[in-house]
Amino acid sequence: MQKQIELKIPTGYEDITLRKWLELQKDLKNYEGDEEATTAVLLLHLCGLSPEYLTGISLDDYNLLKYELMGFIGKTDLELQRFIKIGDVEYGFEPNLSNMSYGAYADITKFGQITIDTNWAKIMNILYRPVETKSMGNYSITKYEGSKGEAKWLDVPMSIHFGALFFYSIY
């Protein structure tokens, strides 16, 4: 008897949350160097394809899924989104990195290497703060008073996170 399953295949980083990405990265560490296992982990986390069903799909479907995922994984040309909305709050990216407050700078640098890991939500909470004013292309965000409430960043798409990381890294 055949069982029909429905998969949600992400077509870009905008379809993957930070929460899902961190879970994926944690599991991928266990299978470094094993391409087949790595693909199975990608299909599980990103498409919801359980290992019990993986062996039953056709080779064509397997290759199609793999092709779709590889179409965007590794993409590094994501742009910084200066403004994002989470719930009813609009957040703005630190408008002047070279003039950010010492407290914000010190808190970011205490994490050492700036990368998307378990500390990334805290870093995003420092870099993005609620918008206070916007006028003619300029804007201001709330004063940095320490990082709290970073859990909201776990459900933000990876396209936002990678855009911020790439921008911050080249700055």
Side-chain angles (χ1 to χ4, degrees):
M1 182 169 94
Q2 287 188 342
K3 182 172 185 171
Q4 187 172 353
I5 58 173
E6 186 175 319
L7 301 176
K8 289 184 94 174
I9 304 168
T11 57
Y13 284 119
E14 61 278 354
D15 299 328
I16 303 167
T17 64
L18 176 59
R19 181 183 318 276
K20 188 177 277 192
W21 185 256
L22 292 175
E23 291 168 0
L24 169 66
Q25 296 307 308
K26 182 179 174 188
D27 279 356
L28 282 176
K29 285 182 183 176
N30 297 325
Y31 300 102
E32 284 182 273
D34 185 340
E35 185 180 340
E36 192 173 318
T38 298
T39 301
V41 170
L42 283 169
L43 293 174
L44 171 65
H45 283 281
L46 301 182
C47 302
L49 181 61
S50 299
E52 64 191 81
Y53 300 119
L54 181 58
T55 57
I57 67 171
S58 72
L59 183 58
D60 286 343
D61 288 342
Y62 174 83
N63 286 331
L64 177 62
L65 289 170
K66 191 174 173 180
Y67 175 80
E68 289 294 324
L69 293 179
M70 295 308 150
F72 69 87
I73 290 181
K75 189 175 179 182
T76 59
D77 61 346
L78 297 162
E79 290 186 28
L80 173 69
Q81 300 298 311
R82 291 204 179 275
F83 303 102
I84 63 167
K85 199 159 189 167
I86 302 175
D88 293 333
V89 180
E90 183 177 36
Y91 292 86
F93 190 82
E94 177 69 54
N96 189 347
L97 288 173
S98 62
N99 197 26
M100 83 168 53
S101 73
Y102 174 74
Y105 175 78
D107 282 354
I108 289 174
T109 58
K110 76 179 178 185
F111 297 115
Q113 184 179 352
I114 304 299
T115 187
I116 296 183
D117 60 12
T118 55
N119 293 316
W120 183 250
K122 295 172 188 163
I123 293 170
M124 286 292 280
N125 209 44
I126 297 168
L127 292 173
Y128 281 93
R129 296 192 299 280
V131 173
E132 286 187 324
T133 62
K134 275 175 136 175
S135 176
M136 297 163 72
N138 294 318
Y139 64 97
S140 66
I141 57 177
T142 59
K143 181 180 163 204
Y144 180 70
E145 295 178 349
S147 185
K148 52 189 174 257
E150 62 271 353
K152 65 184 164 281
W153 296 102
L154 293 172
D155 296 316
V156 170
M158 288 308 298
S159 54
I160 303 291
H161 292 288
F162 279 130
L165 174 68
F166 300 150
F167 181 82
Y168 187 80
S169 296
I170 61 170
Y171 182 79

